[in-house]
Amino acid sequence: MIEDVVETYSDLFEIDQNLDRLVKNIELLNFLNPLNIQQEKKSFFACKYRKNPVFNYRKIKFNPYKMQRLFFSQRLERIEDDQIRKLYQDIIYEYSGLIHCIETIGSGKSFYYNSLKVFGTPKERDVENARFILHFDDEQSTEDVIKKISANEAEVYFEDFAKRYTFDLNIKQSTHISAAAMVLNASETLVLKKNHTFSDNDLKVLANHEIGVHLVTTFNGKSQPLKIFSNGFVNNTETQEGLAVFSEYMAGCLTLKRMKELAYRVIAVDSLIKGYDFAATFDLLYSQYKLDRDAAWQITLRVHRGGGFTKDYLYLTGLKKIYDFYYSKQDINPLLTGKVTLENKDSIIRLQQLGLANRSMHITDSFKLNLNTNKKLDFILRNLK
C-alpha cells in the first residue's frame, strides 16, 4: 500500500514535496523564448543579415537568491538510503543550475556559461556525426513543398491523435515560441506556434514527438508517488529528446531532411564555443551550408536565444543512445516513467522495487508498432559513433 510506503519514507516524501513546490517556478522554456521574434526576424532580413537581433524576454517572477537558498536548505541527510539521497542531491544541483540560467537570460556570455554547466557542448565526435549525416544526398520528396495546414487545423489533428491515450490534451497557440510546437510540462499543455503552417508529415512528426513522448512522460511522471519523476531527473533532456525523435523514427515519419535538421543544430551549437555571434552562425548555415534563410534563422534563433543555448545538440546524441538501447532488446518502459534519464535506469527499477515508483501508465504507441521502412536512416543510425 502506498500509505505504508509514505509512512516508511516520510522524510523522503517531505523533501520531495518541498522541491515540487519550488520547482514549479523554474520551467526554463517559459522564460527563454523571446517576445519579439517576428519583429527581429523582419529587421534582420531587412539589414541583409548584418545586424544581430536584440531579443526581449519575460521578467522572472521569483527571487533567484531566495529560491537557491530554499533548494539548498533541504535536509538531505534525513534520507537514509545512500542511492536515493545522492539522486536528490544531484537533482538539487540541477535545479540550481536552471535558476542560474533563468536569471541570466539575455545577458550574453553569463547565460551561455550557465547553459554549458547544465547542458554541456558537443564533443568532436558529435560534430563528426553531424557532418556524416550531412554528407548524404537529399531524398526526393514533395511532402514539404507546400505547407498548407493551419495551426487551427493542426489542433484538430492533435486532438484526434491524443485519443489513443487516456489523458486529456490541453492545446493553446502562441506567437512567442521559437519551435513549431512545444510541451509545457507544469501546465500539461501542448503549445502551437500561431500562424505557422504544417505539412502532413510535420503533423505526424510533432504528434509522435510532443504527444507520443513529451506528454506521455509528463502524465506518467505526474502519476508517480515521487514528484521528481514529473519535475525531472538530472540531465534528462538527452534521454527525453532522444525518445521523442526515436518515436518519429518508429512511427515511420522521421526523414533524412529531419535528421539533417538535427545535424545542423549540432553545427550551430558548436559555433557558440567558437565565439560566433548570431549573424555569424546564420551566415555559416545560410552561406556555407546553403540552408534557406527561414531554416537558417530558425536554427540560429534556437541556439542563440538567451545568449547561447546549447541544448539542441542533445537531440542527436539522445537519438543514438535510445536507438542502441532499443535494439539491445532492453525494456524501454522505465524510460517512460517520467522526465527521467537512461543513466538512472537502475535507480528507477530500484525505486519501483521499493514501492516508490510505478511502471509507466502510458506507453508510446509507435514503440509497439515500428513502422520505419527507411533503410538509409537505419544505416546512418547504426554507423553514428
Side-chain angles (χ1 to χ4, degrees):
M1 294 289 289
I2 185 61
E3 293 82 4
D4 296 331
V5 174
V6 172
E7 184 176 348
T8 302
Y9 294 94
S10 58
D11 290 335
L12 169 62
F13 277 91
E14 182 181 336
I15 291 169
D16 184 72
Q17 291 284 350
N18 290 342
L19 295 179
D20 180 55
R21 284 190 290 270
L22 294 173
V23 79
K24 293 194 186 307
N25 292 309
I26 58 171
E27 187 153 7
L28 179 58
L29 293 181
N30 269 339
F31 301 98
L32 186 59
N33 289 310
L35 299 173
N36 58 336
I37 293 172
Q38 293 307 315
Q39 302 95 302
E40 289 304 302
K41 180 180 180 181
K42 185 177 180 180
S43 298
F44 184 70
F45 286 176
C47 74
K48 302 298 183 186
Y49 330 123
R50 291 191 297 268
K51 185 179 178 182
N52 289 325
V54 179
F55 293 119
N56 300 326
Y57 301 93
R58 288 180 178 84
K59 292 182 178 179
I60 61 176
K61 297 179 180 179
F62 61 88
N63 183 305
Y65 174 77
K66 288 183 178 178
M67 185 70 73
Q68 295 277 10
R69 189 174 65 189
L70 289 169
F71 273 115
F72 285 107
S73 68
Q74 303 304 313
R75 294 175 56 197
L76 297 188
E77 68 275 7
R78 295 162 61 196
I79 302 176
E80 295 181 1
D81 187 290
D82 291 343
Q83 186 178 9
I84 297 175
R85 184 172 62 250
K86 179 64 165 59
L87 179 65
Y88 273 78
Q89 178 179 306
D90 290 343
I91 284 170
I92 286 176
Y93 281 124
E94 171 97 342
Y95 294 160
S96 172
L98 291 174
I99 294 170
H100 282 307
C101 283
I102 291 169
E103 70 175 320
T104 53
I105 286 173
S107 62
K109 288 296 183 184
S110 293
F111 175 82
Y112 171 61
Y113 293 137
N114 286 320
S115 174
L116 276 177
K117 292 176 189 174
V118 176
F119 299 103
T121 194
K123 299 179 176 66
E124 184 58 35
R125 176 193 65 202
D126 303 324
V127 178
E128 289 174 2
N129 281 339
R131 291 175 179 149
F132 172 69
I133 293 168
L134 296 176
H135 167 77
F136 288 86
D137 293 333
D138 291 335
E139 296 172 332
Q140 294 298 315
S141 173
T142 59
E143 171 64 39
D144 293 312
V145 173
I146 302 174
K147 296 190 175 185
K148 56 185 181 297
I149 301 168
S150 70
N152 289 335
E153 293 170 310
E155 273 199 38
V156 176
Y157 177 89
F158 293 135
E159 286 168 353
D160 184 62
F161 182 92
K163 289 176 182 175
R164 63 190 69 187
Y165 300 103
T166 56
F167 50 74
D168 293 326
L169 179 63
N170 300 315
I171 305 181
K172 73 174 186 178
Q173 296 183 31
S174 172
T175 56
H176 299 145
I177 62 173
S178 57
M182 61 178 282
V183 164
L184 293 178
N185 183 46
S187 59
E188 304 168 1
T189 301
L190 174 65
V191 185
L192 303 183
K193 191 173 187 178
K194 196 171 185 178
N195 301 324
H196 188 78
T197 52
F198 305 81
S199 71
D200 285 339
N201 201 64
D202 289 336
L203 295 183
K204 294 174 187 173
V205 164
L206 291 169
N208 283 281
H209 185 110
E210 303 292 348
I211 298 173
V213 170
H214 289 326
L215 277 174
V216 159
T217 56
T218 287
F219 284 98
N220 281 343
K222 294 196 174 188
S223 73
Q224 297 289 346
L226 294 171
K227 303 297 185 183
I228 55 164
F229 281 86
S230 173
N231 295 324
F233 283 34
V234 173
N235 299 325
N236 69 79
T237 298
E238 183 177 50
T239 297
Q240 293 301 306
E241 298 301 351
L243 285 165
V245 181
F246 187 65
S247 177
E248 301 171 31
Y249 164 86
M250 293 291 276
C253 55
L254 182 64
T255 61
L256 179 58
K257 179 181 178 181
R258 170 72 164 154
M259 286 287 288
K260 286 191 172 186
E261 177 189 336
L262 302 184
Y264 286 126
R265 290 181 185 180
V266 176
I267 299 294
V269 173
D270 184 59
S271 78
L272 292 174
I273 208 165
K274 293 179 169 66
Y276 285 35
D277 62 9
F278 190 103
T281 299
F282 177 88
D283 184 66
L284 173 69
L285 298 174
Y286 180 59
S287 300
Q288 181 173 328
Y289 285 100
K290 307 303 181 185
L291 278 179
D292 72 70
R293 69 176 192 170
D294 286 320
W297 162 271
Q298 183 66 18
I299 292 171
T300 306
L301 167 64
R302 288 178 62 97
V303 168
H304 278 273
R305 55 185 162 162
F309 189 41
T310 64
K311 167 194 165 185
D312 267 7
Y313 84 95
L314 292 169
Y315 287 71
L316 193 56
T317 61
L319 172 60
K320 173 59 175 173
K321 287 184 178 180
I322 297 300
Y323 179 89
D324 290 345
F325 180 84
Y326 179 85
Y327 282 104
S328 67
K329 307 297 184 185
Q330 297 190 64
D331 182 11
I332 211 160
N333 188 290
L335 306 187
L336 298 174
T337 51
K339 306 301 181 181
V340 301
T341 65
L342 178 59
E343 290 72 20
N344 283 117
K345 178 178 69 73
D346 291 342
S347 294
I348 296 165
I349 293 171
R350 182 160 180 270
L351 288 170
Q352 290 174 338
Q353 291 168 345
L354 293 172
L356 292 167
N358 306 318
R359 284 182 62 81
S360 299
M361 180 183 298
H362 309 286
I363 304 297
T364 304
D365 69 328
S366 66
F367 294 162
K368 307 172 190 173
L369 302 174
N370 193 359
L371 301 177
N372 175 67
T373 57
N374 192 320
K375 301 302 181 185
K376 184 182 289 186
L377 290 184
D378 270 327
F379 177 82
I380 291 172
L381 287 168
R382 281 198 310 271
N383 286 281
L384 293 179
K385 299 175 182 175

